Amino acid sequence: MRQRAARDQKRLDSGAVTSPKDLENLQHEIASLAKRQSDLEDVVLEVMERREAAQERVTELTGRVQSLQDRIGDTTARRDAAAGEIDAEVATVTKERGVIAGTIPADLLKLYDKLREQQGGVGAARLYQRRCDGCRQELAITELNEVRAAAPDAVVRCENCRRILVRMPESGL
Ligand SMILES: [Zn+2]
């Protein structure tokens, strides 16, 4: 377009075009080419501005992605560390349980394991202040008397939830 405008201008300046009608057409074309060039320059400017804004947004979003990835990395590392600690604790507790289970009579251990399975993981409960810590029910007075009368090594169970009751010395039972 610039070339065409320059060529038109050259023809105009050369004096080769003499007819007033042709001269007028040529001048008109030069003016319209200048107008289009100016319009296109405006478009180019606007496109460049939008491109710059888009690049700023890309930079900002890239930064946010990076910061989220950092946080994911930190959190994953913390989760893995916690899982490692939990695994180690499970191993220790399992080992301890094995040692204790070895000292309990087989039939009592069998009963305990059965109750534990039936009662959501808790097979034995403390009897504390007349209350079964397993089901939170207070024992009836007759039941309490039976527990009191039972031999120290007898297995007593909660009337309500059937769990093995562990008598605590401080509760006088
Ligand atoms: Zn109970």
Side-chain angles (χ1 to χ4, degrees):
M1 215 172 63
R2 272 199 211 101
Q3 279 171 5
R4 192 165 157 200
R7 201 171 60 227
D8 284 352
Q9 192 62 51
K10 216 171 160 185
R11 274 181 71 205
L12 191 68
D13 294 345
S14 73
V17 181
T18 50
S19 132
K21 179 82 185 149
D22 288 349
L23 276 171
E24 196 187 316
N25 283 345
L26 206 53
Q27 277 169 335
H28 185 76
E29 191 177 287
I30 289 167
S32 107
L33 282 169
K35 169 84 170 76
R36 273 183 64 198
Q37 188 177 338
S38 159
D39 288 351
L40 283 172
E41 278 168 358
D42 287 349
V43 169
V44 167
L45 248 157
E46 197 202 318
V47 167
M48 279 167 68
E49 276 167 13
R50 281 169 57 190
R51 200 183 102 162
E52 206 171 298
Q55 270 171 341
E56 275 170 23
R57 186 98 176 105
V58 166
T59 305
E60 184 205 325
L61 289 174
T62 305
R64 279 172 58 189
V65 166
Q66 185 58 53
S67 117
L68 282 173
Q69 276 172 340
D70 289 350
R71 277 178 58 195
I72 289 168
D74 285 352
T75 308
T76 304
R78 279 167 47 202
R79 181 204 64 191
D80 291 348
E85 282 170 24
I86 290 165
D87 287 348
E89 199 181 329
V90 166
T92 306
V93 170
T94 303
K95 207 171 150 188
E96 283 170 8
R97 186 197 190 269
V99 172
I100 295 165
T103 68
I104 292 171
D107 54 347
L108 180 56
L109 190 64
K110 202 175 154 191
L111 173 66
Y112 168 77
D113 282 335
K114 193 184 85 183
L115 288 168
R116 194 164 73 111
E117 202 174 298
Q118 289 170 352
Q119 300 288 353
V122 181
R126 184 174 67 154
L127 175 60
Y128 186 68
Q129 291 176 345
R130 299 181 175 187
R131 198 180 292 273
C132 164
D133 261 358
C135 63
R136 300 268 159 203
Q137 286 286 312
E138 197 164 297
L139 272 69
I141 195 76
T142 49
E143 205 187 336
L144 264 176
N145 286 336
E146 280 173 34
V147 171
R148 282 198 182 103
D153 60 346
V155 176
V156 290
R157 292 169 67 182
C158 172
E159 281 276 289
N160 182 52
C161 69
R162 305 303 299 147
R163 288 185 178 96
I164 297 164
L165 286 173
V166 180
R167 288 167 282 174
M168 310 304 287
E170 66 268 28
S171 55
L173 294 162

